[in-house]
Amino acid sequence: MTMTELILTEEKPEDFSGDLLVCCFEQDKKEKVKEGRSPVGKELKKAIALGDFQGKEGDVLVLYPQFAEKQKISAKRLLLVGLGKQEADNLSATRERCRCCGGTIAVKAAELKAEKLFLCLPEVAGLQEEEVVECLVEGILLGDYRFLKYKKPDKKEPAFQRIKELQISALSSGKGLRRGMLHGQEAAYAGRKARDMANEPGNGWTPTSFAEYAQTLAKKHKMQCTVLDKRDMKELKMGGILGVNQGSAEPPKMVILEYRASKKAQTILFVGKGLTFDSGGVSLKPSAGMEDMKYDMCGGAAVLSMMQVVGIEKPNVNIVAIIPSTDNMPGGSALKPGDIIKHYGGITSEIVNTDAEGRLILADALAYGIEKYQPACVVDLATLTGAVILGLGHHRTGLLGNNQDLVDRLLAAGERTGEPLWQLPLDKEYGKQIESDVADIKNAGGRPAGTITAAAYLQKFVGDTPWAHMDIAGTAWDFTKKSYVPKGPSGTGVRTLIELVRNWKKF
Ligand code: BES
Ligand code: MN
Ligand code: ZN
């Protein structure tokens, strides 16, 4: 992976001689752009006077300073970007404006094939400089993403690869500035890693790939990795993941990665659905759009990518990540409607639809993880139901749980990181829909409240442990367009989890 070199510099913007000098401006309350600390006062005034630039969100203007300005600007080009207007006291919205501005910078840099950038840090009302740089860097690096691995390079016109160097003007020399920059960088790289995993097709990213990446992270950051294979699963009687894997030629893996802060610290358990391809099994999905089901591992991708940041930042809380991984295929030995399986821990389940497979693999992982690691709380992420798309579309992730404190922490983390969630109810009455005549429960509850009945299924396996479930089926790809979220998988959930862990307070 080509990385972007980030440099905090005291160099004057005027002296930067690279491809693109970037200045961002807020749209003032009086519709006047604040000049901030920029070297472009006169040009800006002219652009404003002509009505060409107002600092609105998404506003961009490219100038060629040698022609437009007496002042000596050495950069090849000057890019003015709008930050939009301040919403009263809405910190999360302000952070998001910075992220979007970062994304716009990345999109413009790609258009111009600009590899060396210099960013003048703007003043943003209501935000510390540390947060401004964090969100801008996050937006730039997340926006500067493409997946070209399987495409032959065009020899005549080589594709723009990536921003190679980003200098950031550090006028105030605070530690905070560096920390903000690093936080933004780490979150963005984790998001990009999750997108990379998701962009791989079903034959490019397998359960074994999850295992290998977890082992790589374990080595790099001194964490502990355990991979349960089919034999281990049989021994442990994990009938859910084994059942889903029955029709597949690809061996299943239960990937466990542990970060240990200290003996005294609490443990958080994260579980991510790592279904590397969901055909539906014998309850086969329609073929139109089935290729998108390679994204059915986005929960696992988010959890494992978050661990990459945990490894670097070493937060003061123990963390266990579990990714149950297999594909879901029809085949001579595949699970059939009517079959009854027995989950880890002993709960039996009547399979009424083999396409409701996510809850089957998550159930084993939740029950096993809770019994083995006795966590203070559990969060799972999964592309679990089509129903969440009907309810919330492609903007908010569905959130359900048995503990309001945990749910509230996730709601707040999602808001701050621009990955908004929306809580759905989980009254015990919904559990009636998954009662079975022949087994303890059945794996599908019919059309009404599909997202809730799926969560009700998972709830059977968490007991009293505080637990929250994020249904990312609507947000993991086809995400509502944003400058820093290109088409394809979004990497959603990664930043929410990082935020939750970074600010962890005893539960
Ligand atoms: N992976 C799918 C959910 C999904 C569907 C995600 C569409 C993104 C887009 C999941 O395994 C599934 O097939 N769920 C079924 C459950 C039903 C059979 C009870 C669904 O939502 O249709
Ligand atoms: Mn399915
Ligand atoms: Zn699925």
Side-chain angles (χ1 to χ4, degrees):
M1 183 174 62
T2 30
M3 300 266 210
T4 304
E5 194 181 353
L6 295 182
I7 305 164
L8 283 176
T9 178
E10 281 166 26
E11 192 188 341
K12 282 197 202 130
E14 297 89 317
D15 297 335
F16 167 71
S17 62
D19 299 316
L20 196 61
L21 174 61
V22 184
C23 300
C24 318
F25 302 91
E26 274 198 297
Q27 188 179 352
D28 207 349
K29 288 185 193 80
K30 294 169 222 132
E31 300 296 318
K32 257 180 67 189
V33 180
K34 271 197 197 165
E35 285 169 25
R37 299 179 209 126
S38 85
V40 293
K42 276 187 205 151
E43 290 173 324
L44 189 55
K45 278 199 187 112
K46 196 166 176 189
I48 296 163
L50 289 169
D52 293 356
F53 183 81
Q54 295 174 300
K56 279 195 226 151
E57 212 178 316
D59 264 10
V60 281
L61 191 65
V62 183
L63 299 170
Y64 297 87
Q66 59 268 49
F67 300 115
E69 166 87 5
K70 274 184 238 142
Q71 229 174 321
K72 274 203 191 117
I73 290 178
S74 323
K76 283 188 199 151
R77 310 173 188 85
L78 182 59
L79 175 66
L80 310 186
V81 190
L83 271 161
K85 232 187 209 162
Q86 186 185 16
E87 269 179 54
D89 289 339
N90 190 338
L91 212 76
S92 294
T94 309
R95 287 170 56 92
E96 178 68 0
R97 282 193 288 119
C98 291
R99 236 175 258 123
C100 288
C101 174
T104 304
I105 293 168
V107 169
K108 213 59 205 172
E111 262 175 47
L112 298 167
K113 294 194 167 46
E115 293 180 338
K116 286 194 177 185
L117 273 63
F118 187 108
L119 177 65
C120 306
L121 267 199
E123 278 177 61
V124 180
L127 278 195
Q128 301 281 335
E129 204 171 39
E130 174 175 347
E131 276 184 282
V132 175
V133 73
E134 177 193 345
C135 296
L136 275 169
V137 165
E138 214 169 83
I140 292 173
L141 296 182
L142 282 169
D144 185 27
Y145 176 84
R146 61 221 99 226
F147 185 78
L148 301 169
K149 184 176 159 188
Y150 293 98
K151 269 180 116 39
K152 199 181 324 95
D154 184 340
K155 286 209 183 86
K156 274 188 219 127
E157 206 189 333
F160 176 69
Q161 286 297 329
R162 193 153 273 176
I163 297 169
K164 291 213 171 86
E165 185 185 293
L166 174 64
Q167 296 193 44
I168 301 168
S169 63
L171 292 181
S172 82
S173 62
K175 264 198 201 144
L177 210 57
R178 171 161 300 275
R179 186 174 50 215
M181 181 181 87
L182 292 177
H183 275 190
Q185 181 186 38
E186 277 147 23
Y189 281 174
R192 291 201 320 207
K193 183 66 203 181
R195 290 175 187 169
D196 275 344
M197 296 179 194
N199 265 316
E200 285 286 353
N203 62 350
W205 190 267
T206 62
T208 307
S209 315
F210 269 121
E212 285 169 357
Y213 192 64
Q215 277 151 351
T216 306
L217 287 181
K219 254 201 211 114
K220 197 162 167 192
H221 304 296
K222 298 206 170 59
M223 300 190 279
Q224 195 182 325
C225 180
T226 315
V227 177
L228 306 181
D229 61 16
K230 198 164 167 174
R231 226 189 32 220
D232 302 318
M233 292 172 193
K234 280 186 181 155
E235 224 158 78
L236 291 162
K237 300 196 164 65
M238 294 181 161
I241 186 166
L242 284 169
V244 175
N245 183 254
Q246 255 169 239
S248 176
E250 196 64 57
K253 305 281 175 199
M254 180 81 72
V255 181
I256 306 172
L257 189 57
E258 291 169 63
Y259 161 76
R260 210 168 163 74
S262 74
K263 262 206 178 113
K264 276 183 286 171
Q266 290 188 315
T267 299
I268 318 177
L269 171 63
F270 292 103
V271 175
K273 173 178 175 182
L275 215 293
T276 54
F277 183 74
D278 183 10
S279 72
V282 169
S283 314
L284 196 65
K285 286 183 182 294
S287 55
M290 202 203 268
E291 64 277 11
D292 279 357
M293 282 299 128
K294 69 176 179 182
Y295 298 137
D296 210 15
M297 35 56 73
C298 283
V303 167
L304 196 51
S305 302
M306 174 265 307
M307 287 306 276
Q308 151 178 337
V309 178
V310 166
I312 297 169
E313 293 183 3
K314 311 224 179 301
N316 194 19
V317 56
N318 300 327
I319 297 174
V320 180
I322 305 187
I323 296 129
S325 185
T326 173
D327 51 13
N328 182 24
M329 299 294 283
S333 54
L335 206 59
K336 306 175 290 298
D339 284 358
I340 297 175
I341 58 151
K342 191 186 266 187
H343 280 292
Y344 179 85
I347 296 179
T348 60
S349 177
E350 178 193 2
I351 305 305
V352 294
N353 191 323
T354 66
D355 197 11
E357 85 299 336
R359 62 199 77 184
L360 302 183
I361 69 170
L362 290 169
D364 283 348
L366 289 166
Y368 177 76
I370 288 170
E371 189 185 299
K372 175 138 178 125
Y373 298 100
Q374 305 283 314
C377 64
V378 193
V379 178
D380 80 74
L381 268 86
T383 46
L384 204 60
T385 64
V388 80
I389 309 176
L390 301 182
L392 299 176
H394 298 286
H395 178 53
R396 280 186 191 261
T397 289
L399 176 65
L400 307 96
N402 63 3
N403 180 293
Q404 199 56 39
D405 180 11
L406 183 59
V407 164
D408 287 340
R409 289 185 192 206
L410 283 163
L411 285 170
E415 209 59 42
R416 260 181 78 78
T417 54
E419 297 180 333
L421 302 144
W422 195 259
Q423 186 179 7
L424 299 174
L426 191 54
D427 309 85
K428 67 176 187 316
E429 282 74 9
Y430 291 104
K432 290 205 177 306
Q433 281 173 243
I434 52 166
E435 282 173 5
S436 164
D437 293 335
V438 293
D440 297 334
I441 43 174
K442 62 182 178 185
N443 81 327
R447 274 176 64 81
T451 303
I452 301 174
T453 55
Y457 190 94
L458 300 179
Q459 190 174 13
K460 301 274 180 197
F461 299 86
V462 299
D464 295 330
T465 307
W467 153 81
H469 158 65
M470 290 164 62
D471 193 332
I472 57 170
T475 47
W477 72 97
D478 279 352
F479 194 84
T480 305
K481 198 173 159 32
K482 283 184 186 181
S483 59
Y484 67 91
V485 187
K487 218 170 126 190
S490 62
T492 198
V494 176
R495 297 199 305 278
T496 304
L497 298 189
I498 294 172
E499 177 75 16
L500 183 78
V501 166
R502 272 182 187 157
N503 301 312
W504 189 253
K505 297 212 177 56
K506 206 164 163 55
F507 196 76

